[in-house]
Amino acid sequence: MLRILIMTFSLIAVVAVNVAANIIPFNGKTTGEIANRLPVLFTPASYVFIIWAVIFMLLAVWIYVHSRRGESTDLYLNNWRAALFVFSCLLNISWILLWHYTFFNWTIVVMFVLLLTLFALYSTYPKQESRQFERLPISIYLGWIFVATIANGNYVLTFHEWNGWGLSNPLWTVISLSVATAIALHFLYHYKDRALNVVFMWAFIGIAVKNGVDELFVSSAALFLTAVIGVSLFVLKKPH
């Protein structure tokens, strides 16, 4: 019971900090306003970030499932999952504070550690298709943090006026989209994870919408790679 209470409090704290960051807002700017200060082409349209509401709701269900089934399953595994989840919540809160108070270099460090933490949590679930629903909230969360990590990295590089080894901003963005696609397909092939791939598609469409005809190269690439992932969901043969 204590484990569930700590997990519940951690989730409530994350939701509260994320909401407060945009209502108060911290340091006079909302999370989105800071993101839109720089011309980062990998940033999706604002509506895409509604996925956070979906993630938080699914995590609430995930905690509820733990509360109902935790005592009948492996205690060590449940405690390990709880510890990873609580740590991920602390990292999420830390990222928000660092982002709003412009410690952008540190946001990269925190985001990367969050990514590793969620992957460790994700890896506690078996790969069998029959068990995929159990890891669904973590799949969607992990998928979004992959996207957010790449976007965060692009933001920090733009903040420091990095020239992308002489590559243009649109070309560098397409390379980032291609890397993201490779990650998504890796999880589809090796982990049979469709939900995570749908998150990438959602983000890519948002990137295309954000860039529109002004950055047609980026928009076209984002839609093309969305289609690649979409087709792969149906035709890619998965190992048994």
Side-chain angles (χ1 to χ4, degrees):
M1 180 58 70
L2 179 60
R3 180 182 69 247
I4 300 303
L5 289 175
I6 294 173
M7 293 171 71
T8 302
F9 175 79
S10 299
L11 178 59
I12 291 172
V14 169
V15 174
V17 169
N18 275 269
V19 171
N22 290 286
I23 291 179
I24 294 178
F26 296 161
N27 204 25
K29 295 285 185 180
T30 67
T31 308
E33 286 173 344
I34 298 171
N36 290 324
R37 283 196 312 196
L38 298 178
V40 180
L41 303 183
F42 195 85
T43 304
S46 298
Y47 77 86
V48 172
F49 293 89
I50 197 173
I51 194 173
W52 275 116
V54 176
I55 290 170
F56 290 146
M57 287 188 290
L58 287 173
L59 289 175
V61 173
W62 181 76
I63 292 173
Y64 174 75
V65 170
H66 268 256
S67 70
R68 299 286 294 178
R69 298 169 50 182
E71 302 307 321
S72 62
T73 53
D74 189 294
L75 181 61
Y76 172 81
L77 180 60
N78 284 327
N79 287 340
W80 177 234
R81 286 174 177 169
L84 289 170
F85 175 72
V86 171
F87 186 50
S88 75
C89 292
L90 293 174
L91 291 169
N92 193 312
I93 291 170
S94 299
W95 185 90
I96 285 289
L97 296 175
L98 290 168
W99 180 258
H100 278 261
Y101 289 94
T102 68
F103 293 99
F104 296 129
N105 291 343
W106 282 104
T107 63
I108 286 289
V109 176
V110 171
M111 185 68 80
F112 186 68
V113 176
L114 175 57
L115 182 64
L116 293 178
T117 302
L118 290 176
F119 181 70
L121 178 55
Y122 180 91
S123 298
T124 65
Y125 288 93
K127 297 181 181 180
Q128 291 93 334
E129 290 186 80
S130 60
R131 302 289 298 279
Q132 284 187 18
F133 184 76
E134 296 178 28
R135 75 178 183 203
L136 177 65
I138 308 305
S139 291
I140 293 176
Y141 195 4
L142 178 63
W144 180 247
I145 294 302
F146 265 118
V147 172
T149 300
I150 297 172
N152 198 165
N154 275 268
Y155 188 94
V156 172
L157 291 175
T158 302
F159 178 76
H160 289 293
E161 299 181 345
W162 184 65
N163 67 2
W165 293 311
L167 301 177
S168 67
N169 196 12
L171 181 56
W172 180 252
T173 303
V174 171
I175 292 172
S176 297
L177 286 165
S178 301
V179 170
T181 302
I183 293 170
L185 295 179
H186 169 81
F187 276 85
L188 179 60
Y189 182 82
H190 291 285
Y191 294 90
K192 307 175 185 177
D193 199 325
R194 293 172 178 267
L196 184 144
N197 276 256
V198 170
V199 171
F200 278 79
M201 293 172 68
W202 171 255
F204 286 5
I205 292 171
I207 290 170
V209 170
K210 176 73 177 292
N211 287 284
V213 296
D214 294 333
E215 294 290 349
L216 194 58
F217 179 49
V218 173
S219 301
S220 299
L223 292 176
F224 172 74
L225 293 172
T226 300
V228 169
I229 295 174
V231 170
S232 298
L233 287 174
F234 293 99
V235 304
L236 185 63
K237 184 178 180 181
K238 309 176 188 66
H240 295 283

